[in-house]
Amino acid sequence: MADTIKLSRRNFIIGTGATGLTIGILASCAPPAGETAEVLDDLVDANAEPPPEVNAWVHIDTDDTVTIRIARSEMGQGTLTGLAQLVAEELECDWDKVTTEYPTPGENLARDRVWKDFATGGSRGIRNSQQYVREGGAAARMMLVQAAASRWGVPVSECSVEKGVISHGPSGDTLTYGAVADDAANITPPADIPLKDPSEWTIAGQPKMRLDTADKVTGKQLYGSDLKMDGMVNAAIKQAPMRGGTLASFDADAVTSMPGVKKVIQVDGQFPGVAVVADYWWQAKTALDALPIEWTPGEGSDFSSAAFEADLEEGLTADEAYVGNQKGDVDAAFENAAQIVEAQYGVPLQNHACMEPMTATAVWTEDKCEVWCPTQNGEAALAATAEAAGLPIEQCDVYKQLLGGGFGRRGMSDYVSQVVQIAKEMPGTPVKLSWSREEDMQHGFHHPITKARCEGALDADGNLTGIKIRISGQSILAGLMPQALSDGADMFAFQGLLPSGVDERAEDQTLKYTFPALKFDHAMRNPPVRPGFWRGVNANPNAIYLECFMDELAHAAGRDPLEFRLDYMGDSPEIAAVLQAVADKSGWGNEDGKSRGLCAFYSFGSYTAACAEVTVSDEGDLKIHRIVAATDPGFAVNPQQIDAQIAGSFVYGLSGALYQEITFENGETQQRNFDTYDSMRIAQMPEVETIVMPSGGFWGGVGEPTIAVAAPAVLNAIYAATGKRIRQMPVKDQSLRDA
């Protein structure tokens, strides 16, 4: 069980072992990574001064412990360790003495956003912050060396540093970082900060063990769900079960006398609801289940997934659609084609289904509101806190906890707003809100539902002369941030299919095939279901649409699927290289009783490919034996983490493709728990062999681009095994062999 944290600002240390920068001892928060609150009281003197802050990224204690501050969120992807490696590399410290902390978004605001962006998503945690965090480490090193040189009265040019020990060459004198950290903190930061060439890396670029692994293995690691405080009460919530539903009435008197119940509170939001507050969560949940509640249906309350299929089908042939990528005379290509190939694919709504349901803890008073929560965007959580608290943002703060899963879901702050609303009704009392699994399944931000109509034109020699892909379905931007639409269009719908040179913000999502003629467009059809950025987002369905159809075209042309793809990759040697690498390592073309399928895709700035090996029994049972995966992210900060990320992304991606679907009837989610929303089991997981092949010169993502290639590779391998195409996800609903 988690230990109790005393609700005293003097006794808190910021940090939870998540991706984070530190504040040292600045404000109340959960205990540091790997430490329980009980031992915290023994280890921390509340009156002690924090270790010297050399700069915003680094502080160093007298025992030479280096604390690196990281603003991004850790949710299992390894950003914490990767960013620490980059800072430590430039700092030239002893990696064995490195630890990490979070700053808060409130401190970031107060210090002119010195840590910049707190958001973690889009595989941008490292690639968008690598420059300035490396500069932070390099600047700190320069200041520490200057401090030592000043103490000795010698030129900086005569000094060098290795593993946190500064040496004066001519005299042989040495000083540790801890000995001069105080002096360094008073030195003006350098304006010119040269960085190492990656070829010189000794900490970054190496397969270092993750900094948060040991505490997870021993159970010492605390998550938001583990958080406890003196006097804390617990809240359970029930929100309108149907889309557009509102709260009509509830009878609080019916449950207020139940054991432990403190209060029954109405909670506003997109899904209005009722929270019960009690001593313990199960008491709150039990009372909530017994609470008489009446809901009023609203717009969308009659929504049915089955009925929406007609809207998706209509969009596939509608006259109006936004063109995201067009090249050449595609109409002429089809008019003159010797053969036209057509196929239709579909991907359903899916839930993030984080292992840890939404949770947050808040304390509200008339002049301060503080929230402790797992979040992918600390600054967005801070804004939500201030709005719900009715206080100036300067009087609020958020203390980030390690995430028990994110996948894009915790980029939203609905649960933060809810806990603040509840805490506001109980001033000065710590309130922890925990969603049930059923609430988490019903009130997510779902992966958008789309279908695609694919058409290809082949000439008499089997060459592809034109390709068309019409996507019909939901827009994330229309649902979450319509102001970001471009002339009513959602560029996110074309992830991995966009032309180069249109928008530098989308340059990491461009098509790497060179086709003679093409037209990719999107007919927006939005159901009354809030969409969300689900790991990999639209790159996942788009990879299925493009790569499964490329496989169909290759077979229709009588061509080898590997050679067929390579013919159209001449302008992108990087994508061709990863595809060839997986083909070579997997034994493409071998006749060993296993069937193979390929996929190559570019998204989130990285080149990825996969080759899946499967067998399908006569009864139609699928066995995925192995997936060989290759990725070129430009620079590889930690190859071991990349290897783990690829395997982890395949678990998530294959679970979605094989088993997962969210459906609606009468406006309500039909899947309520893992019994109806399944995921891969350990025994079903294939062996994953990774090839990390960084070519340098750019910074690509890892966690999201790799997820896209697993499903298409498996689908293409199923065809190789059975001669049957599976075009509608999830695979579990399809027969893999004809009866």
Side-chain angles (χ1 to χ4, degrees):
M1 293 180 63
D3 299 89
T4 298
I5 301 175
K6 295 180 180 179
L7 189 59
S8 164
R9 290 185 61 82
R10 300 180 68 85
N11 289 337
F12 288 119
I13 279 190
I14 207 85
T16 61
T19 295
L21 307 181
T22 105
I23 307 183
I25 305 172
L26 285 173
S28 47
C29 187
E35 296 179 3
T36 65
E38 185 175 65
V39 299
L40 181 63
D41 288 336
D42 296 332
L43 294 176
V44 177
D45 178 0
N47 297 311
E49 289 295 321
E53 178 186 282
V54 180
N55 63 15
W57 307 100
V58 175
H59 72 216
I60 301 176
D61 213 335
T62 53
D63 66 355
D64 298 321
T65 298
V66 175
T67 302
I68 296 175
R69 304 172 180 182
I70 301 168
R72 307 289 178 160
S73 297
E74 178 61 54
M75 48 192 146
Q77 82 280 34
T79 296
L80 171 94
T81 302
L83 286 173
Q85 283 180 261
L86 290 174
V87 175
E89 180 64 57
E90 298 294 343
L91 183 60
E92 293 278 12
C93 65
D94 185 347
W95 178 251
D96 291 335
K97 295 182 178 180
V98 167
T99 186
T100 58
E101 292 183 336
Y102 287 135
T104 67
E107 187 190 12
N108 197 42
L109 183 66
R111 295 179 62 171
D112 260 349
R113 298 190 77 237
V114 64
W115 291 283
K116 305 187 189 302
D117 193 353
F118 272 51
T120 308
S123 279
R124 294 183 179 277
I126 286 180
R127 60 186 176 128
N128 272 28
S129 55
Q130 56 83 21
Q131 180 73 21
Y132 57 78
V133 301
R134 291 163 65 204
E135 289 175 353
R141 183 196 72 245
M142 296 168 71
M143 294 159 71
L144 289 158
V145 174
Q146 177 64 66
S150 297
R151 185 175 296 187
W152 289 322
V154 301
V156 168
S157 59
E158 293 181 358
C159 301
S160 61
V161 61
E162 183 177 358
K163 289 189 174 182
V165 178
I166 306 163
S167 301
H168 178 232
S171 68
D173 290 341
T174 62
L175 284 169
T176 66
Y177 275 174
V180 296
D182 264 323
D183 296 347
N186 295 313
I187 290 176
T188 302
D192 182 25
I193 308 174
L195 298 176
K196 290 184 180 181
D197 187 277
S199 64
E200 301 171 346
W201 285 352
T202 59
I203 297 175
Q206 304 305 309
K208 299 293 185 182
M209 297 300 293
R210 287 177 51 156
L211 297 175
D212 56 344
T213 298
D215 289 344
K216 289 179 179 178
V217 172
T218 61
K220 293 170 66 178
Q221 180 66 66
L222 298 184
Y223 292 81
S225 296
D226 301 317
L227 190 66
K228 290 188 178 181
M229 296 178 179
D230 283 347
M232 187 178 78
V233 293
N234 291 268
I237 192 168
K238 183 176 290 185
Q239 302 165 80
M242 71 289 290
R243 305 309 97 173
T246 56
L247 179 63
S249 65
F250 62 95
D251 183 6
D253 292 339
V255 300
T256 51
S257 62
M258 292 182 68
V261 172
K262 302 292 186 185
K263 204 158 191 173
V264 181
I265 300 168
Q266 181 173 336
V267 179
D268 296 325
Q270 186 172 353
F271 289 96
V274 182
V276 174
V277 182
D279 290 327
Y280 301 104
W281 186 81
W282 190 249
Q283 292 174 328
K285 172 67 163 56
T286 301
L288 189 62
D289 289 341
L291 180 67
I293 306 176
E294 295 292 335
W295 308 101
T296 299
E299 185 178 354
S301 293
D302 60 348
F303 173 63
S304 161
S305 294
F308 187 65
E309 285 291 312
D311 293 336
L312 292 173
E313 291 289 337
E314 179 274 330
L316 292 176
T317 56
D319 291 335
E320 293 187 8
Y322 176 81
V323 178
N325 193 355
Q326 187 167 9
K327 172 189 173 184
D329 191 341
V330 72
D331 291 335
F334 277 83
E335 288 172 4
N336 299 320
Q339 182 181 2
I340 293 177
V341 182
E342 298 181 355
Q344 182 174 311
Y345 291 85
V347 173
L349 293 164
Q350 294 169 323
N351 194 19
H352 295 84
C354 305
M355 188 56 64
E356 177 189 39
M358 299 304 104
T359 184
T361 300
V363 180
W364 183 92
T365 64
E366 291 185 353
D367 58 4
K368 182 73 174 177
C369 185
E370 297 173 292
V371 171
W372 295 257
C373 66
T375 174
Q376 289 180 241
N377 192 335
E379 291 180 301
L382 176 61
T385 297
E387 182 178 7
L391 293 169
I393 199 167
E394 294 80 9
Q395 292 172 226
C396 302
D397 217 340
V398 171
Y399 308 108
K400 193 162 50 178
Q401 311 298 293
L402 187 68
L403 283 66
F407 316 116
R409 172 61 178 93
R410 284 190 162 96
M412 313 310 295
S413 301
D414 51 332
Y415 57 101
V416 176
S417 298
Q418 290 173 346
V419 75
V420 173
Q421 288 184 57
I422 299 167
K424 196 173 179 181
E425 297 296 316
M426 305 183 71
T429 301
V431 178
K432 178 162 74 173
L433 170 66
S434 301
W435 285 22
S436 66
R437 174 62 60 192
E438 288 74 18
E439 283 297 307
D440 201 72
M441 292 294 291
Q442 290 182 84
H443 298 103
F445 289 76
H446 300 302
H447 188 294
I449 182 171
T450 58
K451 285 184 176 291
R453 181 185 179 194
C454 306
E455 301 171 85
L458 299 170
D459 66 15
D461 296 322
N463 299 308
L464 180 63
T465 58
I467 183 171
K468 294 189 286 188
I469 298 179
R470 159 67 63 84
I471 299 170
S472 172
Q474 195 170 13
S475 159
I476 292 181
L477 293 186
L480 296 183
M481 48 186 80
Q483 71 279 8
L485 293 172
S486 175
D487 295 327
D490 183 356
M491 296 300 289
F492 268 103
F494 300 99
Q495 285 184 300
L497 303 177
L498 289 165
S500 180
V502 172
D503 188 330
E504 63 179 16
R505 295 169 298 178
E507 200 63 32
D508 63 347
Q509 303 286 351
T510 53
L511 179 71
K512 295 306 176 186
Y513 283 113
T514 301
F515 297 130
L518 63 87
K519 183 179 181 180
F520 300 155
D521 56 10
H522 175 219
M524 191 184 299
R525 298 293 184 271
N526 293 318
V529 176
R530 59 186 187 183
F533 295 97
W534 193 95
R535 186 178 185 180
V537 204
N538 288 314
N540 299 326
N542 290 349
I544 291 174
Y545 303 155
L546 178 63
E547 281 300 289
C548 288
F549 190 56
M550 284 294 288
D551 212 66
E552 295 207 38
L553 289 169
H555 284 283
R559 302 279 304 282
D560 176 81
L562 172 62
E563 294 177 359
F564 186 78
R565 286 176 170 85
L566 290 173
D567 278 353
Y568 303 97
M569 292 179 172
D571 292 336
S572 181
E574 296 89 351
I575 197 73
V578 292
L579 178 62
Q580 188 67 62
V582 297
D584 291 344
K585 187 167 185 176
S586 69
W588 178 259
N590 287 354
E591 295 185 6
D592 55 4
K594 297 184 180 69
S595 300
R596 293 172 172 81
L598 291 169
C599 175
F601 205 68
Y602 175 81
S603 62
F604 300 96
S606 289
Y607 302 86
T608 56
C611 183
E613 300 174 0
V614 312
T615 55
V616 180
S617 71
D618 292 341
E619 294 73 30
D621 296 324
L622 171 67
K623 174 67 175 178
I624 309 172
H625 297 274
R626 180 173 72 141
I627 301 181
V628 179
T631 184
D632 177 2
F635 294 108
V637 175
N638 188 321
Q640 185 274 334
Q641 282 186 185
I642 295 174
D643 180 85
Q645 272 281 69
I646 292 173
S649 73
F650 284 4
V651 176
Y652 203 70
L654 290 175
S655 292
L658 297 176
Y659 305 114
Q660 295 175 350
E661 178 181 23
I662 292 292
T663 58
F664 286 84
E665 189 173 321
N666 295 323
E668 295 190 27
T669 307
Q670 298 303 291
Q671 294 73 26
R672 303 296 175 89
N673 211 314
F674 288 123
D675 60 331
T676 50
Y677 193 78
D678 209 353
S679 62
M680 293 195 75
R681 304 297 197 267
I682 292 176
Q684 297 167 318
M685 187 64 191
E687 177 186 358
V688 176
E689 295 184 17
T690 61
I691 310 169
V692 182
M693 41 195 301
S695 59
F698 62 93
W699 292 82
V702 174
E704 296 196 82
T706 56
I707 193 174
V709 294
V714 168
L715 293 172
N716 290 334
I718 290 173
Y719 174 78
T722 66
K724 183 175 182 179
R725 291 284 176 189
I726 304 300
R727 300 189 179 99
Q728 178 63 47
M729 305 304 107
V731 174
K732 72 177 179 65
D733 294 336
Q734 316 302 319
S735 173
L736 300 192
R737 288 196 183 274
D738 293 323

